[in-house]
Amino acid sequence: MLTKAVIFHNALDIAQIAWQLLEAGWEIDPEDLAHISPYLTEHINRFGEYSTRELGIQPEAYDPRLEVDFTPLREQDPAAAGFGTAA
């Protein structure tokens, strides 16, 4: 959703600049506009680091334990489940 919003904002910026150039007397060829993409990525760090410090959000402490009950697996007969047999 964020990407769509950025693309839409870029499209509006491109259109505004094109109108300003036309009003200033520039001639704009539609073929030139066809080479401009609103999907500009040089100012976007999509997979970067984002700070939440300014928002006052602190991450929870990391807990490496898995809350998974493996009891049913331990009670099952490995041979009946197909484990331990050659393929």
Side-chain angles (χ1 to χ4, degrees):
M1 185 69 163
L2 179 61
T3 304
K4 292 177 184 179
V6 171
I7 290 172
F8 181 69
H9 187 273
N10 289 342
L12 292 177
D13 286 346
I14 291 169
Q16 182 180 15
I17 291 169
W19 280 112
Q20 289 173 357
L21 290 172
L22 286 171
E23 289 173 359
W26 288 75
E27 188 174 320
I28 298 177
D29 188 355
E31 290 183 20
D32 293 333
L33 288 177
H35 295 283
I36 299 174
S37 171
Y39 185 66
L40 309 172
T41 58
E42 57 268 0
H43 64 290
I44 302 171
N45 190 359
R46 291 178 55 195
F47 306 108
E49 297 180 14
Y50 300 95
S51 174
T52 57
R53 190 174 325 135
E54 295 83 12
L55 301 174
I57 301 172
Q58 295 296 321
E60 295 179 14
Y62 176 71
D63 185 2
R65 294 176 294 163
L66 292 175
E67 299 294 330
V68 178
D69 182 14
F70 289 106
T71 306
L73 295 176
R74 290 189 192 111
E75 293 174 352
Q76 188 176 15
D77 179 20
F83 298 112
T85 57

